[in-house]
Amino acid sequence: MRPLLALLALAALPAFAQEAPACGPEREGQTACLAGKLCLCRFERGGQLTGRGDRFAWDCGALRPLCPPEQNVVQPPGWMPPAGIWVAPGPRPRH
C-alpha cells in the first residue's frame, strides 16, 4: 500500500519547466519563444554598473513582440454573447 501512495505522490508533482536553449555565439541572432515572448539571442556588454561581464544572453525585454500563435490552434470566434445568455439562431438582417 505504501509504495502505491508514494507512486501517486510522485505523479502528482508538477512537471519540471523546460530550460531555455543555450544562448551563445553559434545562436546569435536567432529567436526563441520563451514565456510567451519572442526572445532574441544577442551579445550584451557588461560593465561596472551591471556587475556583469560581457556575455551572450536572451533579450526578452518589454519591447520584444509576443510569440506568434500556433497554426494548428483554432481561434474562437470574434463575437461571443455574455455568459448565461443564449442567442437563438435566426435569419441574418440584410444591410
Side-chain angles (χ1 to χ4, degrees):
M1 182 71 170
R2 288 183 192 240
L4 180 62
L5 289 176
L7 183 62
L8 289 175
L10 283 175
L13 290 175
F16 292 105
Q18 186 177 11
E19 288 195 30
C23 178
E26 64 281 350
R27 284 224 166 134
E28 186 175 14
Q30 292 183 359
T31 57
C33 188
L34 305 173
K37 288 277 191 160
L38 192 61
C39 301
L40 175 70
C41 178
R42 65 187 196 113
F43 182 77
E44 291 186 352
R45 294 241 178 249
Q48 291 179 340
L49 186 63
T50 61
R52 296 181 178 157
D54 294 346
R55 64 190 176 109
F56 284 91
W58 291 105
D59 176 15
C60 301
L63 299 178
R64 297 290 309 158
L66 297 176
C67 293
E70 292 189 32
Q71 299 300 324
N72 58 355
V73 176
V74 178
Q75 296 293 326
W79 180 83
M80 294 293 290
I85 295 179
W86 182 74
V87 178
R92 298 184 132 207
R94 295 184 182 200
H95 292 278

mmCIF file of all heavy atoms in Angstrom, residues 19-74:
data_model
loop_
_atom_site.group_PDB
_atom_site.id
_atom_site.type_symbol
_atom_site.label_atom_id
_atom_site.label_comp_id
_atom_site.label_asym_id
_atom_site.label_seq_id
_atom_site.Cartn_x
_atom_site.Cartn_y
_atom_site.Cartn_z
ATOM 1 N N GLU A 19 14.018 23.984 -19.728
ATOM 2 C CA GLU A 19 15.040 25.020 -19.664
ATOM 3 C C GLU A 19 15.161 25.729 -21.005
ATOM 4 O O GLU A 19 14.926 25.153 -22.059
ATOM 5 C CB GLU A 19 16.373 24.409 -19.275
ATOM 6 C CG GLU A 19 16.418 23.973 -17.826
ATOM 7 C CD GLU A 19 17.840 23.710 -17.367
ATOM 8 O OE1 GLU A 19 18.769 24.353 -17.890
ATOM 9 O OE2 GLU A 19 17.998 22.867 -16.488
ATOM 10 N N ALA A 20 15.551 26.999 -20.934
ATOM 11 C CA ALA A 20 15.743 27.782 -22.153
ATOM 12 C C ALA A 20 16.948 27.237 -22.915
ATOM 13 O O ALA A 20 17.921 26.787 -22.312
ATOM 14 C CB ALA A 20 15.982 29.239 -21.786
ATOM 15 N N PRO A 21 16.897 27.256 -24.246
ATOM 16 C CA PRO A 21 18.062 26.812 -25.011
ATOM 17 C C PRO A 21 19.254 27.718 -24.725
ATOM 18 O O PRO A 21 19.091 28.899 -24.407
ATOM 19 C CB PRO A 21 17.607 26.924 -26.463
ATOM 20 C CG PRO A 21 16.377 27.735 -26.447
ATOM 21 C CD PRO A 21 15.805 27.685 -25.075
ATOM 22 N N ALA A 22 20.430 27.155 -24.813
ATOM 23 C CA ALA A 22 21.645 27.932 -24.533
ATOM 24 C C ALA A 22 21.825 29.033 -25.573
ATOM 25 O O ALA A 22 21.612 28.833 -26.758
ATOM 26 C CB ALA A 22 22.854 27.007 -24.535
ATOM 27 N N CYS A 23 22.184 30.208 -25.105
ATOM 28 C CA CYS A 23 22.438 31.348 -25.983
ATOM 29 C C CYS A 23 23.951 31.545 -26.043
ATOM 30 O O CYS A 23 24.587 31.795 -25.030
ATOM 31 C CB CYS A 23 21.748 32.592 -25.429
ATOM 32 S SG CYS A 23 22.030 34.075 -26.391
ATOM 33 N N GLY A 24 24.509 31.414 -27.220
ATOM 34 C CA GLY A 24 25.951 31.544 -27.386
ATOM 35 C C GLY A 24 26.284 32.091 -28.748
ATOM 36 O O GLY A 24 25.391 32.474 -29.522
ATOM 37 N N PRO A 25 27.566 32.147 -29.102
ATOM 38 C CA PRO A 25 27.969 32.704 -30.394
ATOM 39 C C PRO A 25 27.348 31.972 -31.584
ATOM 40 O O PRO A 25 27.051 32.575 -32.601
ATOM 41 C CB PRO A 25 29.488 32.544 -30.405
ATOM 42 C CG PRO A 25 29.900 32.224 -29.027
ATOM 43 C CD PRO A 25 28.704 31.736 -28.291
ATOM 44 N N GLU A 26 27.109 30.665 -31.435
ATOM 45 C CA GLU A 26 26.524 29.900 -32.536
ATOM 46 C C GLU A 26 25.037 30.199 -32.722
ATOM 47 O O GLU A 26 24.477 29.933 -33.774
ATOM 48 C CB GLU A 26 26.724 28.393 -32.322
ATOM 49 C CG GLU A 26 26.024 27.823 -31.114
ATOM 50 C CD GLU A 26 26.723 28.063 -29.791
ATOM 51 O OE1 GLU A 26 27.876 28.516 -29.767
ATOM 52 O OE2 GLU A 26 26.091 27.798 -28.754
ATOM 53 N N ARG A 27 24.374 30.770 -31.723
ATOM 54 C CA ARG A 27 22.947 31.081 -31.810
ATOM 55 C C ARG A 27 22.678 32.576 -31.919
ATOM 56 O O ARG A 27 21.514 32.982 -31.888
ATOM 57 C CB ARG A 27 22.232 30.569 -30.565
ATOM 58 C CG ARG A 27 22.017 29.098 -30.568
ATOM 59 C CD ARG A 27 20.618 28.822 -30.114
ATOM 60 N NE ARG A 27 20.284 27.451 -30.430
ATOM 61 C CZ ARG A 27 19.697 26.637 -29.601
ATOM 62 N NH1 ARG A 27 19.371 27.048 -28.416
ATOM 63 N NH2 ARG A 27 19.416 25.417 -29.979
ATOM 64 N N GLU A 28 23.689 33.387 -32.028
ATOM 65 C CA GLU A 28 23.492 34.841 -32.067
ATOM 66 C C GLU A 28 22.563 35.220 -33.223
ATOM 67 O O GLU A 28 22.725 34.777 -34.349
ATOM 68 C CB GLU A 28 24.821 35.567 -32.226
ATOM 69 C CG GLU A 28 24.687 37.071 -32.138
ATOM 70 C CD GLU A 28 26.018 37.792 -32.163
ATOM 71 O OE1 GLU A 28 27.036 37.167 -32.502
ATOM 72 O OE2 GLU A 28 26.033 38.986 -31.849
ATOM 73 N N GLY A 29 21.544 36.030 -32.918
ATOM 74 C CA GLY A 29 20.585 36.477 -33.920
ATOM 75 C C GLY A 29 19.372 35.583 -34.061
ATOM 76 O O GLY A 29 18.404 35.956 -34.713
ATOM 77 N N GLN A 30 19.378 34.411 -33.450
ATOM 78 C CA GLN A 30 18.223 33.525 -33.527
ATOM 79 C C GLN A 30 17.191 33.903 -32.481
ATOM 80 O O GLN A 30 17.507 34.514 -31.463
ATOM 81 C CB GLN A 30 18.650 32.076 -33.322
ATOM 82 C CG GLN A 30 19.490 31.532 -34.445
ATOM 83 C CD GLN A 30 19.837 30.066 -34.227
ATOM 84 O OE1 GLN A 30 19.460 29.454 -33.235
ATOM 85 N NE2 GLN A 30 20.562 29.502 -35.166
ATOM 86 N N THR A 31 15.944 33.534 -32.723
ATOM 87 C CA THR A 31 14.868 33.826 -31.776
ATOM 88 C C THR A 31 14.321 32.525 -31.212
ATOM 89 O O THR A 31 14.437 31.468 -31.819
ATOM 90 C CB THR A 31 13.728 34.605 -32.449
ATOM 91 O OG1 THR A 31 13.249 33.848 -33.555
ATOM 92 C CG2 THR A 31 14.186 35.979 -32.905
ATOM 93 N N ALA A 32 13.719 32.638 -30.029
ATOM 94 C CA ALA A 32 13.068 31.503 -29.382
ATOM 95 C C ALA A 32 11.881 32.028 -28.597
ATOM 96 O O ALA A 32 11.901 33.155 -28.089
ATOM 97 C CB ALA A 32 14.043 30.782 -28.447
ATOM 98 N N CYS A 33 10.835 31.226 -28.515
ATOM 99 C CA CYS A 33 9.646 31.597 -27.762
ATOM 100 C C CYS A 33 9.843 31.158 -26.315
ATOM 101 O O CYS A 33 9.841 29.974 -26.012
ATOM 102 C CB CYS A 33 8.425 30.921 -28.378
ATOM 103 S SG CYS A 33 6.893 31.504 -27.666
ATOM 104 N N LEU A 34 10.060 32.116 -25.428
ATOM 105 C CA LEU A 34 10.281 31.842 -24.011
ATOM 106 C C LEU A 34 9.260 32.628 -23.199
ATOM 107 O O LEU A 34 9.205 33.853 -23.276
ATOM 108 C CB LEU A 34 11.694 32.245 -23.587
ATOM 109 C CG LEU A 34 12.845 31.640 -24.387
ATOM 110 C CD1 LEU A 34 14.163 32.261 -23.962
ATOM 111 C CD2 LEU A 34 12.885 30.148 -24.195
ATOM 112 N N ALA A 35 8.443 31.917 -22.441
ATOM 113 C CA ALA A 35 7.433 32.527 -21.572
ATOM 114 C C ALA A 35 6.507 33.464 -22.346
ATOM 115 O O ALA A 35 6.144 34.531 -21.866
ATOM 116 C CB ALA A 35 8.097 33.261 -20.410
ATOM 117 N N GLY A 36 6.143 33.086 -23.557
ATOM 118 C CA GLY A 36 5.197 33.880 -24.343
ATOM 119 C C GLY A 36 5.810 35.041 -25.101
ATOM 120 O O GLY A 36 5.107 35.749 -25.811
ATOM 121 N N LYS A 37 7.102 35.271 -24.967
ATOM 122 C CA LYS A 37 7.793 36.355 -25.677
ATOM 123 C C LYS A 37 8.712 35.777 -26.738
ATOM 124 O O LYS A 37 9.271 34.705 -26.571
ATOM 125 C CB LYS A 37 8.652 37.183 -24.715
ATOM 126 C CG LYS A 37 7.899 38.057 -23.777
ATOM 127 C CD LYS A 37 7.550 39.339 -24.459
ATOM 128 C CE LYS A 37 7.033 40.326 -23.427
ATOM 129 N NZ LYS A 37 7.111 41.657 -23.878
ATOM 130 N N LEU A 38 8.881 36.499 -27.828
ATOM 131 C CA LEU A 38 9.805 36.099 -28.878
ATOM 132 C C LEU A 38 11.158 36.718 -28.529
ATOM 133 O O LEU A 38 11.425 37.882 -28.824
ATOM 134 C CB LEU A 38 9.303 36.590 -30.239
ATOM 135 C CG LEU A 38 10.009 36.020 -31.451
ATOM 136 C CD1 LEU A 38 9.835 34.504 -31.503
ATOM 137 C CD2 LEU A 38 9.446 36.625 -32.715
ATOM 138 N N CYS A 39 12.005 35.939 -27.861
ATOM 139 C CA CYS A 39 13.286 36.432 -27.349
ATOM 140 C C CYS A 39 14.374 36.296 -28.409
ATOM 141 O O CYS A 39 14.341 35.395 -29.233
ATOM 142 C CB CYS A 39 13.682 35.652 -26.106
ATOM 143 S SG CYS A 39 12.471 35.774 -24.789
ATOM 144 N N LEU A 40 15.351 37.196 -28.369
ATOM 145 C CA LEU A 40 16.448 37.249 -29.320
ATOM 146 C C LEU A 40 17.753 36.975 -28.600
ATOM 147 O O LEU A 40 18.034 37.578 -27.564
ATOM 148 C CB LEU A 40 16.494 38.634 -29.975
ATOM 149 C CG LEU A 40 17.640 38.919 -30.923
ATOM 150 C CD1 LEU A 40 17.479 38.103 -32.200
ATOM 151 C CD2 LEU A 40 17.682 40.391 -31.257
ATOM 152 N N CYS A 41 18.561 36.064 -29.145
ATOM 153 C CA CYS A 41 19.878 35.783 -28.582
ATOM 154 C C CYS A 41 20.837 36.846 -29.106
ATOM 155 O O CYS A 41 20.989 37.012 -30.315
ATOM 156 C CB CYS A 41 20.347 34.388 -28.990
ATOM 157 S SG CYS A 41 21.984 33.976 -28.380
ATOM 158 N N ARG A 42 21.474 37.578 -28.196
ATOM 159 C CA ARG A 42 22.382 38.647 -28.619
ATOM 160 C C ARG A 42 23.518 38.814 -27.612
ATOM 161 O O ARG A 42 23.436 38.356 -26.485
ATOM 162 C CB ARG A 42 21.641 39.954 -28.810
ATOM 163 C CG ARG A 42 21.060 40.532 -27.556
ATOM 164 C CD ARG A 42 20.192 41.748 -27.852
ATOM 165 N NE ARG A 42 19.961 42.480 -26.626
ATOM 166 C CZ ARG A 42 20.421 43.687 -26.368
ATOM 167 N NH1 ARG A 42 21.116 44.320 -27.273
ATOM 168 N NH2 ARG A 42 20.186 44.275 -25.230
ATOM 169 N N PHE A 43 24.556 39.507 -28.062
ATOM 170 C CA PHE A 43 25.713 39.781 -27.220
ATOM 171 C C PHE A 43 25.424 41.027 -26.394
ATOM 172 O O PHE A 43 24.976 42.043 -26.916
ATOM 173 C CB PHE A 43 26.956 40.002 -28.084
ATOM 174 C CG PHE A 43 28.192 40.231 -27.283
ATOM 175 C CD1 PHE A 43 28.834 39.174 -26.674
ATOM 176 C CD2 PHE A 43 28.717 41.501 -27.145
ATOM 177 C CE1 PHE A 43 29.993 39.379 -25.942
ATOM 178 C CE2 PHE A 43 29.872 41.727 -26.410
ATOM 179 C CZ PHE A 43 30.510 40.653 -25.804
ATOM 180 N N GLU A 44 25.641 40.943 -25.095
ATOM 181 C CA GLU A 44 25.435 42.086 -24.212
ATOM 182 C C GLU A 44 26.759 42.475 -23.577
ATOM 183 O O GLU A 44 27.488 41.630 -23.072
ATOM 184 C CB GLU A 44 24.430 41.740 -23.108
ATOM 185 C CG GLU A 44 23.029 41.565 -23.602
ATOM 186 C CD GLU A 44 22.036 41.359 -22.469
ATOM 187 O OE1 GLU A 44 22.462 41.210 -21.302
ATOM 188 O OE2 GLU A 44 20.839 41.342 -22.763
ATOM 189 N N ARG A 45 27.056 43.732 -23.628
ATOM 190 C CA ARG A 45 28.271 44.247 -22.996
ATOM 191 C C ARG A 45 28.048 44.342 -21.488
ATOM 192 O O ARG A 45 26.985 44.721 -21.023
ATOM 193 C CB ARG A 45 28.594 45.637 -23.531
ATOM 194 C CG ARG A 45 28.955 45.618 -24.987
ATOM 195 C CD ARG A 45 30.363 46.123 -25.149
ATOM 196 N NE ARG A 45 30.746 46.073 -26.546
ATOM 197 C CZ ARG A 45 31.648 45.228 -26.997
ATOM 198 N NH1 ARG A 45 32.259 44.413 -26.184
ATOM 199 N NH2 ARG A 45 31.961 45.222 -28.270
ATOM 200 N N GLY A 46 29.053 43.975 -20.752
ATOM 201 C CA GLY A 46 28.997 44.078 -19.302
ATOM 202 C C GLY A 46 29.509 45.437 -18.856
ATOM 203 O O GLY A 46 29.758 46.331 -19.663
ATOM 204 N N GLY A 47 29.650 45.595 -17.580
ATOM 205 C CA GLY A 47 30.171 46.846 -17.060
ATOM 206 C C GLY A 47 30.095 46.891 -15.547
ATOM 207 O O GLY A 47 29.537 46.012 -14.904
ATOM 208 N N GLN A 48 30.637 47.939 -14.993
ATOM 209 C CA GLN A 48 30.637 48.090 -13.546
ATOM 210 C C GLN A 48 29.234 48.364 -13.018
ATOM 211 O O GLN A 48 28.884 47.954 -11.917
ATOM 212 C CB GLN A 48 31.567 49.222 -13.137
ATOM 213 C CG GLN A 48 33.020 48.900 -13.356
ATOM 214 C CD GLN A 48 33.918 50.063 -12.966
ATOM 215 O OE1 GLN A 48 33.464 51.202 -12.882
ATOM 216 N NE2 GLN A 48 35.179 49.768 -12.729
ATOM 217 N N LEU A 49 28.420 49.041 -13.799
ATOM 218 C CA LEU A 49 27.075 49.379 -13.348
ATOM 219 C C LEU A 49 26.220 48.119 -13.192
ATOM 220 O O LEU A 49 25.490 47.979 -12.213
ATOM 221 C CB LEU A 49 26.421 50.353 -14.340
ATOM 222 C CG LEU A 49 25.069 50.907 -13.938
ATOM 223 C CD1 LEU A 49 25.197 51.730 -12.666
ATOM 224 C CD2 LEU A 49 24.508 51.769 -15.041
ATOM 225 N N THR A 50 26.306 47.202 -14.131
ATOM 226 C CA THR A 50 25.517 45.970 -14.047
ATOM 227 C C THR A 50 26.199 44.908 -13.199
ATOM 228 O O THR A 50 25.540 43.996 -12.710
ATOM 229 C CB THR A 50 25.254 45.377 -15.449
ATOM 230 O OG1 THR A 50 26.508 45.058 -16.052
ATOM 231 C CG2 THR A 50 24.460 46.322 -16.312
ATOM 232 N N GLY A 51 27.496 44.981 -13.052
ATOM 233 C CA GLY A 51 28.232 43.992 -12.279
ATOM 234 C C GLY A 51 28.421 42.685 -13.025
ATOM 235 O O GLY A 51 28.713 41.661 -12.428
ATOM 236 N N ARG A 52 28.242 42.708 -14.328
ATOM 237 C CA ARG A 52 28.381 41.511 -15.148
ATOM 238 C C ARG A 52 29.442 41.728 -16.203
ATOM 239 O O ARG A 52 29.688 42.841 -16.639
ATOM 240 C CB ARG A 52 27.069 41.182 -15.844
ATOM 241 C CG ARG A 52 25.950 40.841 -14.908
ATOM 242 C CD ARG A 52 24.709 40.499 -15.671
ATOM 243 N NE ARG A 52 23.636 40.135 -14.758
ATOM 244 C CZ ARG A 52 22.373 40.197 -15.051
ATOM 245 N NH1 ARG A 52 21.995 40.607 -16.237
ATOM 246 N NH2 ARG A 52 21.476 39.845 -14.176
ATOM 247 N N GLY A 53 30.005 40.629 -16.644
ATOM 248 C CA GLY A 53 30.968 40.692 -17.727
ATOM 249 C C GLY A 53 30.260 40.600 -19.078
ATOM 250 O O GLY A 53 29.040 40.425 -19.152
ATOM 251 N N ASP A 54 31.036 40.720 -20.164
ATOM 252 C CA ASP A 54 30.468 40.551 -21.496
ATOM 253 C C ASP A 54 29.935 39.122 -21.620
ATOM 254 O O ASP A 54 30.573 38.176 -21.167
ATOM 255 C CB ASP A 54 31.526 40.790 -22.571
ATOM 256 C CG ASP A 54 32.006 42.235 -22.584
ATOM 257 O OD1 ASP A 54 31.356 43.091 -21.976
ATOM 258 O OD2 ASP A 54 33.046 42.491 -23.232
ATOM 259 N N ARG A 55 28.754 38.987 -22.272
ATOM 260 C CA ARG A 55 28.158 37.665 -22.389
ATOM 261 C C ARG A 55 27.087 37.642 -23.470
ATOM 262 O O ARG A 55 26.635 38.687 -23.926
ATOM 263 C CB ARG A 55 27.532 37.228 -21.070
ATOM 264 C CG ARG A 55 26.367 38.130 -20.668
ATOM 265 C CD ARG A 55 25.907 37.848 -19.252
ATOM 266 N NE ARG A 55 24.859 38.793 -18.892
ATOM 267 C CZ ARG A 55 23.582 38.466 -18.752
ATOM 268 N NH1 ARG A 55 23.188 37.237 -18.912
ATOM 269 N NH2 ARG A 55 22.706 39.384 -18.421
ATOM 270 N N PHE A 56 26.689 36.446 -23.848
ATOM 271 C CA PHE A 56 25.541 36.245 -24.724
ATOM 272 C C PHE A 56 24.339 35.955 -23.831
ATOM 273 O O PHE A 56 24.446 35.180 -22.886
ATOM 274 C CB PHE A 56 25.771 35.079 -25.688
ATOM 275 C CG PHE A 56 26.699 35.430 -26.809
ATOM 276 C CD1 PHE A 56 28.056 35.221 -26.699
ATOM 277 C CD2 PHE A 56 26.214 35.997 -27.980
ATOM 278 C CE1 PHE A 56 28.916 35.548 -27.719
ATOM 279 C CE2 PHE A 56 27.071 36.325 -29.017
ATOM 280 C CZ PHE A 56 28.419 36.102 -28.888
ATOM 281 N N ALA A 57 23.198 36.580 -24.122
ATOM 282 C CA ALA A 57 22.005 36.383 -23.300
ATOM 283 C C ALA A 57 20.753 36.555 -24.147
ATOM 284 O O ALA A 57 20.779 37.190 -25.202
ATOM 285 C CB ALA A 57 21.993 37.386 -22.147
ATOM 286 N N TRP A 58 19.654 35.980 -23.669
ATOM 287 C CA TRP A 58 18.366 36.130 -24.337
ATOM 288 C C TRP A 58 17.778 37.485 -23.985
ATOM 289 O O TRP A 58 17.670 37.845 -22.820
ATOM 290 C CB TRP A 58 17.403 35.022 -23.903
ATOM 291 C CG TRP A 58 17.786 33.686 -24.406
ATOM 292 C CD1 TRP A 58 18.346 32.675 -23.692
ATOM 293 C CD2 TRP A 58 17.651 33.207 -25.744
ATOM 294 N NE1 TRP A 58 18.569 31.596 -24.508
ATOM 295 C CE2 TRP A 58 18.143 31.890 -25.772
ATOM 296 C CE3 TRP A 58 17.161 33.764 -26.931
ATOM 297 C CZ2 TRP A 58 18.162 31.128 -26.933
ATOM 298 C CZ3 TRP A 58 17.178 32.992 -28.079
ATOM 299 C CH2 TRP A 58 17.670 31.697 -28.081
ATOM 300 N N ASP A 59 17.384 38.245 -25.002
ATOM 301 C CA ASP A 59 16.728 39.535 -24.805
ATOM 302 C C ASP A 59 15.224 39.294 -24.881
ATOM 303 O O ASP A 59 14.667 39.075 -25.952
ATOM 304 C CB ASP A 59 17.169 40.523 -25.885
ATOM 305 C CG ASP A 59 16.451 41.860 -25.784
ATOM 306 O OD1 ASP A 59 15.827 42.129 -24.738
ATOM 307 O OD2 ASP A 59 16.520 42.634 -26.752
ATOM 308 N N CYS A 60 14.569 39.304 -23.721
ATOM 309 C CA CYS A 60 13.121 39.092 -23.628
ATOM 310 C C CYS A 60 12.463 40.324 -23.026
ATOM 311 O O CYS A 60 11.482 40.226 -22.287
ATOM 312 C CB CYS A 60 12.817 37.875 -22.761
ATOM 313 S SG CYS A 60 13.539 36.344 -23.349
ATOM 314 N N GLY A 61 12.989 41.496 -23.325
ATOM 315 C CA GLY A 61 12.521 42.733 -22.726
ATOM 316 C C GLY A 61 11.085 43.090 -23.077
ATOM 317 O O GLY A 61 10.418 42.429 -23.876
ATOM 318 N N ALA A 62 10.618 44.160 -22.477
ATOM 319 C CA ALA A 62 9.241 44.606 -22.649
ATOM 320 C C ALA A 62 8.938 45.023 -24.085
ATOM 321 O O ALA A 62 7.786 44.970 -24.515
ATOM 322 C CB ALA A 62 8.962 45.773 -21.710
ATOM 323 N N LEU A 63 9.943 45.403 -24.851
ATOM 324 C CA LEU A 63 9.710 45.839 -26.226
ATOM 325 C C LEU A 63 9.734 44.692 -27.228
ATOM 326 O O LEU A 63 9.456 44.908 -28.414
ATOM 327 C CB LEU A 63 10.748 46.893 -26.622
ATOM 328 C CG LEU A 63 10.730 48.174 -25.783
ATOM 329 C CD1 LEU A 63 11.826 49.121 -26.233
ATOM 330 C CD2 LEU A 63 9.384 48.849 -25.884
ATOM 331 N N ARG A 64 10.042 43.487 -26.786
ATOM 332 C CA ARG A 64 10.035 42.330 -27.682
ATOM 333 C C ARG A 64 8.595 41.914 -27.962
ATOM 334 O O ARG A 64 7.733 41.996 -27.083
ATOM 335 C CB ARG A 64 10.800 41.152 -27.067
ATOM 336 C CG ARG A 64 12.280 41.407 -26.823
ATOM 337 C CD ARG A 64 13.104 41.507 -28.058
ATOM 338 N NE ARG A 64 12.868 40.368 -28.932
ATOM 339 C CZ ARG A 64 13.121 40.385 -30.235
ATOM 340 N NH1 ARG A 64 13.620 41.450 -30.794
ATOM 341 N NH2 ARG A 64 12.882 39.337 -30.982
ATOM 342 N N PRO A 65 8.291 41.440 -29.183
ATOM 343 C CA PRO A 65 6.913 41.049 -29.507
ATOM 344 C C PRO A 65 6.532 39.729 -28.841
ATOM 345 O O PRO A 65 7.381 38.967 -28.386
ATOM 346 C CB PRO A 65 6.953 40.890 -31.031
ATOM 347 C CG PRO A 65 8.371 40.543 -31.338
ATOM 348 C CD PRO A 65 9.192 41.301 -30.315
ATOM 349 N N LEU A 66 5.225 39.476 -28.797
ATOM 350 C CA LEU A 66 4.732 38.202 -28.294
ATOM 351 C C LEU A 66 4.973 37.119 -29.337
ATOM 352 O O LEU A 66 5.147 37.410 -30.524
ATOM 353 C CB LEU A 66 3.238 38.297 -27.994
ATOM 354 C CG LEU A 66 2.839 39.281 -26.899
ATOM 355 C CD1 LEU A 66 1.331 39.340 -26.780
ATOM 356 C CD2 LEU A 66 3.458 38.894 -25.576
ATOM 357 N N CYS A 67 4.977 35.879 -28.908
ATOM 358 C CA CYS A 67 5.162 34.761 -29.833
ATOM 359 C C CYS A 67 3.971 34.688 -30.784
ATOM 360 O O CYS A 67 2.841 34.958 -30.387
ATOM 361 C CB CYS A 67 5.261 33.450 -29.067
ATOM 362 S SG CYS A 67 6.736 33.335 -28.061
ATOM 363 N N PRO A 68 4.214 34.305 -32.040
ATOM 364 C CA PRO A 68 3.085 34.151 -32.961
ATOM 365 C C PRO A 68 2.234 32.959 -32.531
ATOM 366 O O PRO A 68 2.745 32.006 -31.948
ATOM 367 C CB PRO A 68 3.756 33.897 -34.315
ATOM 368 C CG PRO A 68 5.119 33.415 -33.989
ATOM 369 C CD PRO A 68 5.491 34.020 -32.672
ATOM 370 N N PRO A 69 0.918 33.008 -32.811
ATOM 371 C CA PRO A 69 0.073 31.874 -32.417
ATOM 372 C C PRO A 69 0.411 30.639 -33.244
ATOM 373 O O PRO A 69 0.871 30.746 -34.381
ATOM 374 C CB PRO A 69 -1.345 32.366 -32.725
ATOM 375 C CG PRO A 69 -1.170 33.456 -33.728
ATOM 376 C CD PRO A 69 0.181 34.064 -33.470
ATOM 377 N N GLU A 70 0.190 29.480 -32.658
ATOM 378 C CA GLU A 70 0.463 28.228 -33.370
ATOM 379 C C GLU A 70 -0.574 28.053 -34.470
ATOM 380 O O GLU A 70 -1.733 28.409 -34.312
ATOM 381 C CB GLU A 70 0.418 27.056 -32.405
ATOM 382 C CG GLU A 70 1.564 27.077 -31.409
ATOM 383 C CD GLU A 70 1.620 25.800 -30.601
ATOM 384 O OE1 GLU A 70 1.246 24.750 -31.131
ATOM 385 O OE2 GLU A 70 2.042 25.889 -29.454
ATOM 386 N N GLN A 71 -0.156 27.473 -35.580
ATOM 387 C CA GLN A 71 -1.031 27.333 -36.735
ATOM 388 C C GLN A 71 -2.137 26.310 -36.518
ATOM 389 O O GLN A 71 -3.198 26.421 -37.102
ATOM 390 C CB GLN A 71 -0.208 26.944 -37.968
ATOM 391 C CG GLN A 71 0.827 27.976 -38.338
ATOM 392 C CD GLN A 71 0.215 29.327 -38.664
ATOM 393 O OE1 GLN A 71 -0.850 29.408 -39.246
ATOM 394 N NE2 GLN A 71 0.889 30.386 -38.275
ATOM 395 N N ASN A 72 -1.919 25.291 -35.686
ATOM 396 C CA ASN A 72 -2.921 24.247 -35.515
ATOM 397 C C ASN A 72 -3.921 24.553 -34.401
ATOM 398 O O ASN A 72 -4.773 23.736 -34.108
ATOM 399 C CB ASN A 72 -2.249 22.902 -35.263
ATOM 400 C CG ASN A 72 -1.345 22.940 -34.055
ATOM 401 O OD1 ASN A 72 -1.139 23.980 -33.464
ATOM 402 N ND2 ASN A 72 -0.792 21.797 -33.697
ATOM 403 N N VAL A 73 -3.820 25.710 -33.766
ATOM 404 C CA VAL A 73 -4.753 26.098 -32.716
ATOM 405 C C VAL A 73 -5.900 26.868 -33.357
ATOM 406 O O VAL A 73 -5.689 27.836 -34.075
ATOM 407 C CB VAL A 73 -4.055 26.965 -31.638
ATOM 408 C CG1 VAL A 73 -5.045 27.449 -30.611
ATOM 409 C CG2 VAL A 73 -2.951 26.180 -30.985
ATOM 410 N N VAL A 74 -7.126 26.438 -33.089
ATOM 411 C CA VAL A 74 -8.304 27.088 -33.651
ATOM 412 C C VAL A 74 -8.657 28.292 -32.781
ATOM 413 O O VAL A 74 -8.814 28.164 -31.570
ATOM 414 C CB VAL A 74 -9.491 26.101 -33.713
ATOM 415 C CG1 VAL A 74 -10.726 26.789 -34.240
ATOM 416 C CG2 VAL A 74 -9.124 24.909 -34.557
#
